[in-house]
Coordinates of all heavy atoms in Angstrom, one line a residue:
M14 N 33.1 4.9 -9.1 CA 34.3 4.2 -9.4 C 35.1 3.9 -8.1 O 35.7 2.9 -8.0 CB 35.1 4.9 -10.4 CG 34.5 4.9 -11.8 SD 34.0 3.3 -12.5 CE 35.5 2.5 -12.7
K15 N 35.1 4.9 -7.2 CA 35.8 4.7 -5.9 C 35.3 3.5 -5.2 O 36.1 2.7 -4.6 CB 35.8 6.0 -5.1 CG 36.6 7.1 -5.6 CD 36.5 8.3 -4.6 CE 37.2 9.5 -5.2 NZ 37.1 10.6 -4.2
M16 N 34.0 3.4 -5.1 CA 33.4 2.3 -4.4 C 33.7 1.0 -5.1 O 33.9 0.0 -4.4 CB 31.8 2.5 -4.2 CG 31.5 3.6 -3.3 SD 29.7 3.9 -3.1 CE 29.1 2.3 -2.6
F17 N 33.7 1.0 -6.4 CA 34.0 -0.3 -7.1 C 35.4 -0.7 -6.9 O 35.7 -1.9 -6.6 CB 33.7 0.0 -8.6 CG 34.0 -1.2 -9.5 CD1 33.2 -2.3 -9.4 CD2 35.1 -1.2 -10.3 CE1 33.5 -3.5 -10.2 CE2 35.3 -2.3 -11.1 CZ 34.5 -3.5 -11.0
A18 N 36.3 0.3 -6.9 CA 37.8 0.0 -6.7 C 38.0 -0.5 -5.3 O 38.7 -1.5 -5.0 CB 38.6 1.2 -7.0
T19 N 37.3 0.1 -4.3 CA 37.5 -0.3 -2.9 C 36.9 -1.7 -2.7 O 37.4 -2.5 -2.0 CB 36.8 0.7 -2.0 OG1 37.3 2.0 -2.2 CG2 36.9 0.4 -0.5
G20 N 35.8 -1.9 -3.4 CA 35.2 -3.3 -3.3 C 36.1 -4.4 -3.9 O 36.2 -5.4 -3.3
L21 N 36.7 -4.1 -5.0 CA 37.7 -5.0 -5.5 C 38.9 -5.2 -4.6 O 39.3 -6.4 -4.4 CB 38.2 -4.5 -6.9 CG 37.2 -4.6 -8.0 CD1 37.8 -4.0 -9.3 CD2 36.8 -6.1 -8.3
L22 N 39.4 -4.2 -4.0 CA 40.4 -4.3 -3.0 C 40.0 -5.2 -1.8 O 40.8 -6.1 -1.4 CB 40.9 -2.9 -2.5 CG 42.0 -3.0 -1.5 CD1 43.3 -3.6 -2.0 CD2 42.3 -1.5 -1.0
L23 N 38.8 -5.0 -1.3 CA 38.3 -5.8 -0.2 C 38.1 -7.2 -0.7 O 38.4 -8.2 0.1 CB 37.0 -5.2 0.3 CG 37.2 -3.9 1.0 CD1 35.8 -3.3 1.4 CD2 38.1 -4.0 2.2
A24 N 37.7 -7.5 -1.9 CA 37.5 -8.8 -2.4 C 38.8 -9.5 -2.5 O 38.9 -10.7 -2.1 CB 36.8 -8.8 -3.8
V25 N 39.8 -8.8 -3.0 CA 41.2 -9.5 -3.1 C 41.7 -9.7 -1.7 O 42.4 -10.8 -1.5 CB 42.1 -8.6 -3.9 CG1 43.5 -9.1 -3.9 CG2 41.6 -8.5 -5.3
A26 N 41.5 -8.8 -0.7 CA 41.9 -9.1 0.6 C 41.2 -10.3 1.2 O 41.9 -11.1 1.9 CB 41.6 -7.8 1.5
L27 N 40.0 -10.5 0.9 CA 39.2 -11.7 1.4 C 39.8 -12.9 0.7 O 40.0 -13.9 1.4 CB 37.7 -11.5 1.1 CG 36.9 -12.7 1.5 CD1 36.9 -12.9 3.0 CD2 35.5 -12.5 1.0
V28 N 40.1 -12.9 -0.6 CA 40.7 -14.0 -1.2 C 42.1 -14.4 -0.6 O 42.4 -15.5 -0.4 CB 40.9 -13.8 -2.7 CG1 41.7 -14.8 -3.4 CG2 39.5 -13.7 -3.4
Y29 N 42.8 -13.3 -0.3 CA 44.1 -13.5 0.3 C 44.0 -14.2 1.7 O 44.7 -15.2 2.0 CB 44.9 -12.2 0.5 CG 46.2 -12.3 1.3 CD1 47.3 -12.9 0.7 CD2 46.2 -11.9 2.6 CE1 48.5 -13.0 1.4 CE2 47.4 -12.0 3.3 CZ 48.5 -12.6 2.7 OH 49.7 -12.7 3.4
A30 N 43.0 -13.7 2.5 CA 42.8 -14.3 3.8 C 42.4 -15.8 3.7 O 42.9 -16.6 4.5 CB 41.8 -13.5 4.6
L31 N 41.4 -16.0 2.8 CA 41.0 -17.4 2.7 C 42.1 -18.3 2.1 O 42.2 -19.5 2.6 CB 39.8 -17.4 1.7 CG 38.5 -16.8 2.3 CD1 37.4 -16.8 1.2 CD2 38.0 -17.6 3.5
A32 N 42.9 -17.9 1.2 CA 43.9 -18.7 0.6 C 45.0 -18.9 1.7 O 45.6 -20.0 1.8 CB 44.5 -18.0 -0.6
T33 N 45.3 -17.9 2.5 CA 46.3 -18.1 3.6 C 45.8 -19.1 4.6 O 46.5 -20.0 5.1 CB 46.6 -16.8 4.3 OG1 47.1 -15.9 3.3 CG2 47.6 -16.9 5.3
W34 N 44.5 -19.0 4.9 CA 43.9 -20.0 5.8 C 43.9 -21.4 5.2 O 44.2 -22.4 5.9 CB 42.5 -19.6 6.2 CG 41.7 -20.6 7.0 CD1 41.9 -20.9 8.3 CD2 40.8 -21.5 6.4 NE1 41.0 -21.9 8.6 CE2 40.4 -22.3 7.5 CE3 40.3 -21.8 5.2 CZ2 39.4 -23.3 7.4 CZ3 39.3 -22.8 5.0 CH2 38.9 -23.5 6.1
A35 N 43.6 -21.5 4.0 CA 43.6 -22.8 3.3 C 45.0 -23.4 3.3 O 45.2 -24.6 3.4 CB 43.0 -22.7 1.9
R36 N 46.0 -22.6 3.0 CA 47.4 -23.1 3.0 C 47.8 -23.6 4.3 O 48.4 -24.7 4.5 CB 48.3 -22.0 2.5 CG 49.7 -22.5 2.3 CD 50.6 -21.4 1.8 NE 50.6 -20.3 2.7 CZ 51.1 -19.1 2.5 NH1 51.7 -18.9 1.4 NH2 51.1 -18.1 3.4
A37 N 47.4 -22.9 5.4 CA 47.7 -23.3 6.8 C 47.0 -24.6 7.1 O 47.5 -25.4 7.9 CB 47.4 -22.2 7.8
A38 N 45.8 -24.8 6.5 CA 45.0 -26.0 6.9 C 45.4 -27.2 6.0 O 44.9 -28.3 6.2 CB 43.5 -25.7 6.6
G39 N 46.4 -27.0 5.2 CA 47.0 -28.1 4.4 C 46.2 -28.4 3.1 O 46.1 -29.5 2.7
A40 N 45.7 -27.4 2.5 CA 44.9 -27.6 1.3 C 45.7 -27.9 0.1 O 45.2 -28.4 -0.9 CB 44.1 -26.3 1.0
G41 N 47.0 -27.6 0.1 CA 47.8 -28.0 -1.0 C 48.6 -26.8 -1.5 O 48.4 -25.6 -1.0
G42 N 49.4 -27.0 -2.5 CA 50.3 -25.9 -3.1 C 49.5 -24.8 -3.8 O 50.0 -23.7 -3.9
W43 N 48.4 -25.2 -4.3 CA 47.6 -24.2 -5.1 C 47.2 -23.0 -4.2 O 47.2 -21.8 -4.7 CB 46.3 -24.8 -5.6 CG 45.3 -25.2 -4.6 CD1 45.3 -26.4 -4.0 CD2 44.3 -24.4 -3.9 NE1 44.3 -26.5 -3.1 CE2 43.7 -25.3 -3.0 CE3 43.9 -23.1 -4.1 CZ2 42.7 -24.8 -2.2 CZ3 42.9 -22.7 -3.2 CH2 42.3 -23.5 -2.3
A44 N 47.0 -23.2 -2.9 CA 46.6 -22.1 -2.0 C 47.7 -21.0 -1.9 O 47.4 -19.8 -1.8 CB 46.2 -22.6 -0.6
G45 N 49.0 -21.5 -1.9 CA 50.1 -20.5 -1.9 C 50.1 -19.7 -3.1 O 50.4 -18.5 -3.0
F46 N 49.8 -20.3 -4.3 CA 49.8 -19.5 -5.5 C 48.7 -18.5 -5.5 O 48.9 -17.3 -5.9 CB 49.7 -20.4 -6.7 CG 50.9 -21.2 -7.0 CD1 50.9 -22.6 -6.8 CD2 52.1 -20.6 -7.4 CE1 52.1 -23.3 -7.1 CE2 53.3 -21.3 -7.6 CZ 53.2 -22.7 -7.5
V47 N 47.5 -18.9 -5.0 CA 46.4 -18.0 -5.0 C 46.7 -16.8 -4.0 O 46.4 -15.7 -4.3 CB 45.1 -18.7 -4.6 CG1 44.0 -17.8 -4.3 CG2 44.7 -19.7 -5.7
A48 N 47.3 -17.2 -2.8 CA 47.6 -16.1 -1.8 C 48.6 -15.2 -2.4 O 48.5 -13.9 -2.2 CB 48.2 -16.8 -0.6
A49 N 49.6 -15.6 -3.1 CA 50.6 -14.8 -3.7 C 50.0 -13.8 -4.8 O 50.3 -12.6 -4.8 CB 51.7 -15.6 -4.3
A50 N 49.1 -14.4 -5.6 CA 48.5 -13.6 -6.6 C 47.6 -12.5 -6.0 O 47.5 -11.3 -6.4 CB 47.6 -14.4 -7.5
A51 N 46.9 -12.9 -4.9 CA 46.0 -11.9 -4.2 C 46.8 -10.8 -3.5 O 46.5 -9.6 -3.5 CB 45.1 -12.6 -3.2
E52 N 48.0 -11.2 -3.0 CA 48.8 -10.2 -2.3 C 49.4 -9.3 -3.3 O 49.4 -8.1 -3.1 CB 50.0 -11.0 -1.6 CG 50.9 -10.1 -0.8 CD 52.0 -10.9 -0.1 OE1 52.1 -12.1 -0.2 OE2 52.7 -10.2 0.7
A53 N 49.8 -9.8 -4.5 CA 50.3 -8.9 -5.6 C 49.2 -7.9 -6.0 O 49.4 -6.8 -6.3 CB 50.7 -9.7 -6.7
G54 N 47.9 -8.4 -6.1 CA 46.8 -7.5 -6.4 C 46.6 -6.4 -5.4 O 46.3 -5.3 -5.8
M55 N 46.7 -6.7 -4.1 CA 46.6 -5.7 -3.1 C 47.7 -4.7 -3.2 O 47.4 -3.5 -3.1 CB 46.6 -6.3 -1.7 CG 45.3 -7.1 -1.4 SD 45.2 -7.7 0.3 CE 46.6 -8.8 0.4
V56 N 48.9 -5.1 -3.4 CA 50.1 -4.2 -3.5 C 49.9 -3.3 -4.7 O 50.1 -2.1 -4.6 CB 51.4 -5.0 -3.5 CG1 52.6 -4.1 -3.9 CG2 51.6 -5.7 -2.2
G57 N 49.5 -3.9 -5.8 CA 49.3 -3.1 -7.0 C 48.2 -2.1 -6.9 O 48.3 -1.0 -7.3
A58 N 47.1 -2.5 -6.2 CA 46.0 -1.5 -6.0 C 46.4 -0.4 -5.2 O 46.1 0.8 -5.5 CB 44.8 -2.3 -5.4
L59 N 47.2 -0.6 -4.1 CA 47.6 0.5 -3.2 C 48.6 1.3 -3.9 O 48.6 2.6 -3.8 CB 48.2 -0.1 -1.9 CG 47.2 -0.8 -1.0 CD1 47.8 -1.4 0.2 CD2 46.1 0.2 -0.5
A60 N 49.5 0.8 -4.7 CA 50.5 1.5 -5.5 C 49.8 2.4 -6.5 O 50.2 3.6 -6.7 CB 51.5 0.6 -6.2
D61 N 48.8 1.9 -7.2 CA 48.1 2.7 -8.2 C 47.3 3.9 -7.5 O 47.3 5.0 -8.0 CB 47.1 1.9 -9.0 CG 47.8 1.0 -10.0 OD1 49.0 1.2 -10.2 OD2 47.1 0.0 -10.4
W62 N 46.7 3.6 -6.3 CA 46.0 4.6 -5.6 C 47.0 5.7 -5.2 O 46.7 6.9 -5.4 CB 45.4 4.0 -4.3 CG 44.9 5.1 -3.4 CD1 43.8 5.8 -3.5 CD2 45.6 5.6 -2.3 NE1 43.7 6.8 -2.5 CE2 44.8 6.7 -1.7 CE3 46.9 5.3 -1.7 CZ2 45.2 7.4 -0.6 CZ3 47.3 6.1 -0.6 CH2 46.5 7.1 -0.1
F63 N 48.1 5.4 -4.7 CA 49.1 6.4 -4.3 C 49.6 7.2 -5.5 O 49.7 8.4 -5.4 CB 50.3 5.8 -3.5 CG 51.2 6.8 -3.0 CD1 51.0 7.5 -1.8 CD2 52.4 7.2 -3.7 CE1 51.8 8.5 -1.4 CE2 53.2 8.1 -3.3 CZ 53.0 8.8 -2.1
A64 N 49.9 6.5 -6.6 CA 50.4 7.2 -7.8 C 49.4 8.2 -8.3 O 49.7 9.4 -8.6 CB 50.7 6.2 -8.8
V65 N 48.1 7.8 -8.4 CA 47.1 8.7 -8.9 C 46.8 9.9 -7.9 O 46.7 11.0 -8.3 CB 45.8 8.0 -9.3 CG1 44.6 8.9 -9.6 CG2 46.1 7.0 -10.4
T66 N 46.8 9.5 -6.7 CA 46.5 10.5 -5.6 C 47.7 11.6 -5.6 O 47.4 12.8 -5.5 CB 46.4 9.9 -4.2 OG1 45.3 9.0 -4.3 CG2 46.2 10.9 -3.1
A67 N 48.9 11.1 -5.8 CA 50.1 12.0 -5.7 C 50.1 12.9 -6.9 O 50.6 14.0 -6.7 CB 51.3 11.2 -5.7
L68 N 49.5 12.6 -8.0 CA 49.4 13.5 -9.1 C 48.6 14.7 -8.8 O 48.9 15.9 -9.2 CB 48.9 12.8 -10.4 CG 49.8 12.0 -11.1 CD1 49.1 11.3 -12.2 CD2 51.0 12.8 -11.7
F69 N 47.5 14.6 -8.1 CA 46.5 15.6 -7.9 C 46.5 16.3 -6.5 O 46.0 17.4 -6.4 CB 45.1 15.0 -8.2 CG 44.9 14.6 -9.6 CD1 45.0 13.3 -10.0 CD2 44.7 15.6 -10.6 CE1 44.9 12.9 -11.3 CE2 44.6 15.2 -11.9 CZ 44.7 13.9 -12.3
R70 N 47.0 15.6 -5.5 CA 47.0 16.2 -4.2 C 48.1 15.6 -3.3 O 48.8 14.7 -3.8 CB 45.6 16.1 -3.5 CG 45.1 14.7 -3.4 CD 43.6 14.8 -2.9 NE 43.0 13.5 -3.1 CZ 42.7 12.7 -2.2 NH1 42.9 13.0 -0.9 NH2 42.1 11.5 -2.4
R71 N 48.2 16.1 -2.1 CA 49.2 15.5 -1.2 C 48.5 14.4 -0.4 O 47.6 14.6 0.4 CB 49.7 16.6 -0.3 CG 50.3 17.7 -1.1 CD 51.4 18.5 -0.2 NE 51.9 19.6 -0.9 CZ 52.9 19.5 -1.8 NH1 53.5 18.4 -2.1 NH2 53.4 20.6 -2.4
P72 N 49.0 13.2 -0.6 CA 48.4 12.0 0.1 C 48.5 12.2 1.7 O 49.5 12.5 2.2 CB 49.2 10.8 -0.3 CG 49.9 11.2 -1.6 CD 50.1 12.7 -1.5
M73 N 47.4 12.1 2.3 CA 47.2 12.2 3.8 C 47.7 13.5 4.3 O 48.1 13.7 5.4 CB 48.0 11.0 4.4 CG 47.4 9.7 4.1 SD 48.4 8.3 4.8 CE 49.7 8.2 3.5
G74 N 47.8 14.5 3.4 CA 48.2 15.9 3.8 C 49.7 16.1 4.0 O 50.1 17.1 4.5
L75 N 50.4 15.0 3.8 CA 51.9 15.1 4.0 C 52.6 15.9 2.9 O 52.3 15.7 1.7 CB 52.5 13.7 4.1 CG 51.9 12.8 5.2 CD1 52.5 11.4 5.1 CD2 52.3 13.4 6.6
P76 N 53.5 16.8 3.2 CA 54.2 17.6 2.2 C 55.3 16.8 1.5 O 56.5 17.1 1.7 CB 54.8 18.8 3.0 CG 55.0 18.2 4.4 CD 53.9 17.2 4.6
I77 N 55.0 15.7 0.9 CA 56.0 14.8 0.2 C 56.4 15.5 -1.1 O 55.5 16.0 -1.8 CB 55.4 13.4 -0.1 CG1 54.9 12.8 1.2 CG2 56.4 12.5 -0.8 CD1 54.1 11.5 1.1
P78 N 57.7 15.6 -1.3 CA 58.1 16.2 -2.6 C 57.6 15.4 -3.8 O 57.4 14.2 -3.7 CB 59.7 16.1 -2.6 CG 60.0 15.8 -1.1 CD 58.8 15.2 -0.5
H79 N 57.4 16.1 -4.9 CA 56.9 15.5 -6.1 C 55.5 15.0 -6.0 O 55.1 14.0 -6.7 CB 57.8 14.4 -6.7 CG 59.2 14.9 -6.8 ND1 59.6 15.9 -7.7 CD2 60.4 14.5 -6.2 CE1 60.9 16.1 -7.6 NE2 61.4 15.3 -6.7
T80 N 54.7 15.6 -5.1 CA 53.2 15.3 -5.1 C 52.5 16.5 -5.4 O 53.0 17.6 -5.4 CB 52.8 14.7 -3.7 OG1 53.1 15.7 -2.7 CG2 53.5 13.4 -3.4
A81 N 51.2 16.4 -5.7 CA 50.3 17.5 -6.1 C 50.9 18.2 -7.3 O 50.9 19.4 -7.4 CB 50.1 18.5 -5.0
I82 N 51.4 17.4 -8.3 CA 52.1 18.0 -9.4 C 51.2 18.8 -10.3 O 51.5 19.9 -10.8 CB 52.8 16.9 -10.2 CG1 53.9 16.2 -9.4 CG2 53.4 17.4 -11.5 CD1 54.5 15.0 -9.9
I83 N 50.0 18.3 -10.6 CA 49.1 18.9 -11.5 C 48.6 20.2 -11.0 O 48.7 21.2 -11.7 CB 48.0 17.9 -12.0 CG1 48.6 16.8 -12.8 CG2 46.9 18.7 -12.7 CD1 47.7 15.8 -13.3
P84 N 48.1 20.3 -9.8 CA 47.7 21.6 -9.3 C 48.8 22.7 -9.2 O 48.6 23.9 -9.4 CB 47.1 21.4 -7.9 CG 46.8 19.9 -7.9 CD 47.8 19.3 -8.8
T85 N 50.0 22.3 -8.8 CA 51.0 23.2 -8.5 C 51.8 23.7 -9.8 O 52.3 24.7 -9.9 CB 52.1 22.7 -7.6 OG1 52.6 21.5 -8.1 CG2 51.5 22.5 -6.2
K86 N 51.7 22.8 -10.9 CA 52.4 23.2 -12.1 C 51.4 23.2 -13.3 O 51.9 23.0 -14.4 CB 53.5 22.1 -12.4 CG 54.6 22.2 -11.3 CD 55.7 21.3 -11.7 CE 56.8 21.4 -10.6 NZ 58.1 21.0 -11.1
K87 N 50.2 23.5 -13.1 CA 49.2 23.5 -14.2 C 49.5 24.5 -15.2 O 49.4 24.2 -16.4 CB 47.8 23.6 -13.6 CG 47.5 25.0 -13.0 CD 46.1 25.1 -12.6 CE 45.9 26.5 -12.0 NZ 44.6 26.7 -11.5
D88 N 50.0 25.7 -14.9 CA 50.3 26.7 -15.9 C 51.5 26.3 -16.7 O 51.5 26.4 -17.9 CB 50.6 28.1 -15.2 CG 49.3 28.6 -14.5 OD1 48.2 28.3 -14.9 OD2 49.5 29.3 -13.5
Q89 N 52.5 25.7 -16.1 CA 53.7 25.3 -16.8 C 53.3 24.1 -17.7 O 53.8 24.0 -18.8 CB 54.8 24.9 -15.8 CG 56.1 24.4 -16.4 CD 57.1 24.0 -15.4 OE1 56.8 23.9 -14.2 NE2 58.3 23.6 -15.8
L90 N 52.5 23.2 -17.2 CA 52.1 22.0 -18.1 C 51.3 22.5 -19.3 O 51.4 22.0 -20.4 CB 51.2 21.1 -17.2 CG 52.0 20.2 -16.2 CD1 51.0 19.5 -15.3 CD2 52.9 19.2 -16.9
G91 N 50.4 23.5 -19.0 CA 49.6 24.1 -20.1 C 50.4 24.7 -21.2 O 50.2 24.5 -22.4
Q92 N 51.4 25.5 -20.7 CA 52.3 26.1 -21.7 C 53.1 25.1 -22.5 O 53.3 25.2 -23.7 CB 53.3 27.1 -20.9 CG 54.2 27.9 -21.8 CD 55.1 28.8 -21.1 OE1 55.0 28.9 -19.9 NE2 55.9 29.6 -21.8
S93 N 53.6 24.1 -21.8 CA 54.4 23.0 -22.5 C 53.5 22.3 -23.5 O 54.0 22.0 -24.6 CB 55.0 22.0 -21.5 OG 55.9 22.7 -20.6
L94 N 52.3 22.0 -23.1 CA 51.4 21.3 -24.1 C 51.1 22.2 -25.2 O 51.0 21.7 -26.4 CB 50.1 20.9 -23.4 CG 50.2 19.6 -22.5 CD1 49.0 19.4 -21.7 CD2 50.6 18.4 -23.3
G95 N 50.9 23.5 -25.0 CA 50.6 24.4 -26.1 C 51.8 24.5 -27.0 O 51.6 24.6 -28.3
E96 N 53.0 24.6 -26.5 CA 54.2 24.6 -27.4 C 54.3 23.3 -28.2 O 54.7 23.3 -29.3 CB 55.4 24.8 -26.6 CG 55.5 26.2 -26.0 CD 56.7 26.4 -25.0 OE1 57.5 25.5 -24.8 OE2 56.8 27.5 -24.4
F97 N 54.0 22.2 -27.5 CA 54.1 20.9 -28.2 C 53.1 20.8 -29.3 O 53.4 20.4 -30.4 CB 53.9 19.8 -27.2 CG 53.9 18.4 -27.8 CD1 55.1 17.8 -28.2 CD2 52.8 17.7 -28.0 CE1 55.1 16.6 -28.8 CE2 52.8 16.4 -28.5 CZ 54.0 15.9 -29.0
G98 N 51.9 21.2 -29.0 CA 50.8 21.1 -30.0 C 50.8 22.1 -31.1 O 50.5 21.9 -32.2
G99 N 51.3 23.3 -30.7 CA 51.4 24.4 -31.7 C 52.6 24.3 -32.6 O 52.7 25.0 -33.6
G100 N 53.5 23.5 -32.3 CA 54.7 23.3 -33.2 C 55.8 24.1 -32.7 O 56.7 24.5 -33.2

């Protein structure tokens, strides 16, 4: 799945580069819309990666607050889920 997601990110980056080139070459207004959509896809992909990574570990090893939530609070999460499910 990591390779698939990375491949999609690279594909969107390629679409962005081609659309930006087409817009500069005078292809028309459609190229700007395609470039904007591709840029939004890249930003969304990177935001999703960071959010999921931050849940399980510290991104790039940086001690950012509110990261690695699941490993550091697994016992507390388990107890809360047990209380919620147990009534």
Side-chain angles (χ1 to χ4, degrees):
M14 290 308 294
K15 288 181 183 181
M16 289 179 58
F17 181 68
T19 303
L21 287 176
L22 178 61
L23 292 175
V25 173
L27 178 64
V28 168
Y29 174 75
L31 291 174
T33 303
W34 173 77
R36 186 178 57 189
W43 65 269
F46 290 113
V47 172
E52 185 176 6
M55 290 187 297
V56 169
L59 292 174
D61 288 345
W62 167 81
F63 183 81
V65 170
T66 300
L68 281 174
F69 295 99
R70 56 191 165 108
R71 302 206 182 276
M73 298 175 278
L75 299 173
I77 301 171
H79 306 296
T80 58
I82 294 169
I83 292 179
T85 58
K86 296 190 178 197
K87 67 179 178 180
D88 295 332
Q89 183 182 3
L90 289 169
Q92 184 178 2
S93 296
L94 283 172
E96 290 172 5
F97 176 76

